[in-house]
Amino acid sequence: MSEGKAVVEEFRKMARVVLVDDVIPHPNADKLELAIIGGWQCCIKLGEFKKGDKALYCEIDALVPTVHPTFSFLESRKEGLKSFNGISYSRIKTIKLRKEISQGLLLPLPDEFKDAEVDTNLSEQLGVLKYEKSESKVDDEDTKKQYSLYHRFALWLYGSDRPNLPFPAFLRKSEENRVQNINSQFKVAHDTCERFEMTVKLDGESMTVYSHRNEKGKIVFGVCSRNMELYLDDLNYTPTEALRKWLGKLLLRNRRAITLQPYIHPQDVTGVLDWIKQSAIALKQCVRINVGLPKWVSSVKATDDRFVKYVSDNKLFDKLAAATISTNGKTYSVQGELIGPGIQGNYEGVDKLSYYVYRVFDSEGNVLTPYEARIWCNINEFAYVPVLEAEALLPETIKDLVKQAEGKRSLAKGGKREGIVLKSNTRDFSFKVISESYLLNEK
């Protein structure tokens, strides 16, 4: 699995002002207690907080800068420390303390934020970022900022294989709320006996495939990763562009071309000439040079991108076009998970790249209900994410639902699933529930 990256989070409040909902005894530790924040549970020191206290809460996957006085105490903890752009961060993860799950970091609210309202997002003020698994296809601007000056220069020189396009405005990015952050909405849905489709959450990469009628009335097609639209045309580089990319790749490939090994002083020297000879040999062994020359590339195919290649090989645009014809000109877009070898370590354990739809949009950008989406996918030959229950009712508590997230993978034998996703059968409302065992084993 590729190394993670630090990003500025658009949707989640990685560090925010909260009220402690409850504090209960830790069943296995006299000097610890359990603080409840919405649907989250945090292990805290005995007497540190009481019910109703205002506090600072950092969610799991938050990267908190240890140079900030609020988080400096984490610098001494080796586990979870990561460096991005020369700054040390501590990654907040799901852990177990004395057999109890602890998710997030709960701290006294810094004095300068004492008057801040509950749910105020303090991520920017405190320099808190979000940890994300890297997508191997792209180097976005947030990722580039983490690199050394040398690395950034090489990336600038190389540029990108193809232009990066913004995510289409007529669609929305794939981002589900965690159930622990929607405590009041969960209670309303439970109390009104709202029914949900419960599906397996697959661990891959989000891919959106769309058909859309533009301002001229022409139907256009496109493919998007989680954050951007992908370029669909082959590119031919000018000699200058090709040279620049070759030089950039040369620098990237050989940034560790010269390595230094421990210098071993000459032993048993019999004279000056012998000393010079042995010193030269030792120096040669100490400094190792290994330069690799990259291949000259004058063009790049759109299908070099695995998303575009998968869409092309499986004729997904043709399927969307057929759906338009069969519905008297309505256009549709699908959002789903691309899984398989080379993606997130192939956590789902399948033999080849596969695409599973979890959301369908109509020509007005409205989301089809789960029932409508399943029927649409069946008619138009798109695989739908594995359904566990079509008419699920929410249990009494979020904790009970988190237990339901545990289970085996659906597409391969053995292994545990990442979690579940629940989508309302009557309105555009959905959320995800991540398995605690998955989070505990996450790297």
Side-chain angles (χ1 to χ4, degrees):
M1 192 175 294
S2 55
E3 181 62 30
K5 59 183 181 179
V7 299
V8 176
E9 172 58 20
E10 295 180 52
F11 304 99
R12 289 166 60 188
K13 297 176 181 179
M14 303 310 297
R16 68 181 190 273
V17 180
V18 298
L19 286 181
V20 178
D21 293 310
D22 202 2
V23 176
I24 59 178
H26 192 299
N28 306 309
D30 294 337
K31 295 183 178 180
L32 294 176
E33 292 179 303
L34 302 175
I36 309 299
I37 303 96
W40 300 107
Q41 174 177 287
C42 270
C43 289
I44 58 172
K45 294 178 183 177
L46 182 67
E48 189 174 16
F49 295 98
K50 62 181 183 298
K51 182 177 179 179
D53 278 353
K54 219 177 192 183
L56 170 66
Y57 178 67
C58 300
E59 283 195 16
I60 53 175
D61 286 331
L63 287 170
V64 299
T66 56
V67 294
H68 195 285
T70 304
F71 310 113
S72 59
F73 70 97
L74 293 171
E75 183 66 45
S76 60
R77 302 181 184 181
K78 298 299 181 184
E79 188 176 352
L81 285 181
K82 294 182 177 293
S83 180
F84 296 102
N85 197 26
I87 299 175
S88 177
Y89 292 87
S90 181
R91 179 188 172 193
I92 307 303
K93 298 177 65 176
T94 296
I95 60 174
K96 268 191 174 182
L97 289 175
R98 302 294 292 271
K99 299 183 180 180
E100 281 292 324
I101 288 286
S102 182
Q103 294 182 298
L105 177 67
L106 190 68
L107 296 172
L109 195 61
D111 290 339
E112 62 265 38
F113 304 116
K114 291 294 185 184
D115 297 327
E117 294 183 2
V118 173
D119 207 37
T120 298
N121 189 355
L122 299 180
S123 301
E124 184 177 354
Q125 293 95 317
L126 295 173
V128 177
L129 302 176
K130 178 188 173 186
Y131 177 86
E132 274 190 1
K133 299 173 186 175
S134 293
E135 294 182 10
S136 55
K137 306 185 301 307
V138 297
D139 282 305
D140 58 26
E141 292 306 312
D142 284 322
T143 307
K144 290 177 183 177
K145 290 176 183 176
Q146 302 162 20
Y147 296 141
S148 66
L149 185 61
Y150 171 93
H151 203 162
R152 277 182 280 170
F153 173 73
L155 287 171
W156 170 81
L157 196 62
Y158 180 80
S160 61
D161 289 330
R162 52 181 62 79
N164 293 333
L165 306 173
F167 197 86
F170 56 86
L171 293 171
R172 73 181 191 212
K173 295 181 182 180
S174 171
E175 184 66 31
E176 300 288 357
N177 243 325
R178 291 184 186 244
V179 67
Q180 289 92 341
N181 289 330
I182 56 166
N183 204 28
S184 59
Q185 294 163 284
F186 178 90
K187 187 176 187 309
V188 170
H190 170 268
D191 292 348
T192 57
C193 296
E194 186 170 359
R195 293 184 179 272
F196 291 81
E197 174 197 70
M198 182 189 293
T199 58
V200 174
K201 187 179 188 312
L202 300 177
D203 189 0
E205 290 181 356
S206 173
M207 180 172 80
T208 302
V209 187
Y210 73 80
S211 62
H212 176 68
R213 200 177 299 277
N214 64 17
E215 294 176 354
K216 297 180 180 179
K218 181 182 177 181
I219 295 178
V220 294
F221 299 88
V223 187
C224 307
S225 65
R226 181 174 181 267
N227 292 313
M228 66 184 66
E229 183 172 354
L230 305 177
Y231 202 69
L232 297 181
D233 295 329
D234 295 341
L235 292 176
N236 294 311
Y237 300 135
T238 65
T240 302
E241 289 172 333
L243 175 61
R244 182 171 167 170
K245 289 183 178 297
W246 186 87
L247 290 172
K249 189 169 285 187
L250 178 70
L251 293 176
L252 288 169
R253 177 175 291 185
N254 296 293
R255 61 186 184 274
R256 297 186 182 90
I258 300 176
T259 57
L260 299 178
Q261 306 297 323
Y263 180 78
I264 302 175
H265 292 277
Q267 302 291 326
D268 302 324
V269 177
T270 58
V272 174
L273 292 178
D274 187 39
W275 181 87
I276 293 174
K277 181 180 178 181
Q278 289 195 41
S279 295
I281 294 172
L283 187 62
K284 184 178 180 181
Q285 292 175 341
C286 174
V287 181
R288 296 182 182 178
I289 302 176
N290 183 22
V291 177
L293 298 178
K295 182 181 177 182
W296 181 272
V297 177
S298 58
S299 64
V300 61
K301 294 182 178 180
T303 50
D304 288 345
D305 180 282
R306 65 174 169 231
F307 280 19
V308 177
K309 179 173 172 54
Y310 183 88
V311 170
S312 176
D313 290 348
N314 292 275
K315 304 185 185 307
L316 299 193
F317 288 162
D318 292 346
K319 292 182 179 182
L320 290 179
T324 297
I325 293 171
S326 65
T327 54
N328 298 320
K330 286 186 177 181
T331 58
Y332 293 90
S333 304
V334 293
Q335 207 163 64
E337 203 80 1
L338 187 66
I339 62 172
I343 298 178
Q344 306 294 17
N346 192 14
Y347 184 82
E348 299 299 336
V350 295
D351 296 330
K352 61 180 182 178
L353 287 182
S354 305
Y355 182 59
Y356 289 87
V357 173
Y358 51 71
R359 185 173 288 120
V360 181
F361 300 90
D362 66 16
S363 51
E364 283 76 41
N366 300 314
V367 179
L368 271 59
T369 67
Y371 175 76
E372 292 169 339
R374 294 196 301 270
I375 295 297
W376 187 95
C377 285
N378 184 51
I379 292 173
N380 295 288
E381 300 181 345
F382 281 86
Y384 195 73
V385 287
V387 178
L388 298 173
E389 290 187 53
E391 295 284 338
L393 290 170
L394 298 181
E396 189 74 27
T397 67
I398 289 176
K399 196 168 186 176
D400 291 333
L401 186 59
V402 171
K403 290 178 182 178
Q404 292 184 33
E406 303 290 339
K408 295 181 179 179
R409 294 183 303 191
S410 298
L411 303 176
K413 291 183 178 179
K416 295 181 178 180
R417 63 185 177 224
E418 182 185 355
I420 55 177
V421 176
L422 287 98
K423 296 191 283 285
S424 171
N425 285 332
T426 55
R427 58 182 175 130
D428 186 8
F429 172 57
S430 58
F431 56 89
K432 63 186 177 185
V433 190
I434 307 299
S435 156
E436 288 183 343
S437 58
Y438 173 87
L439 291 171
L440 286 168
N441 292 322
E442 195 176 28
K443 294 180 180 179

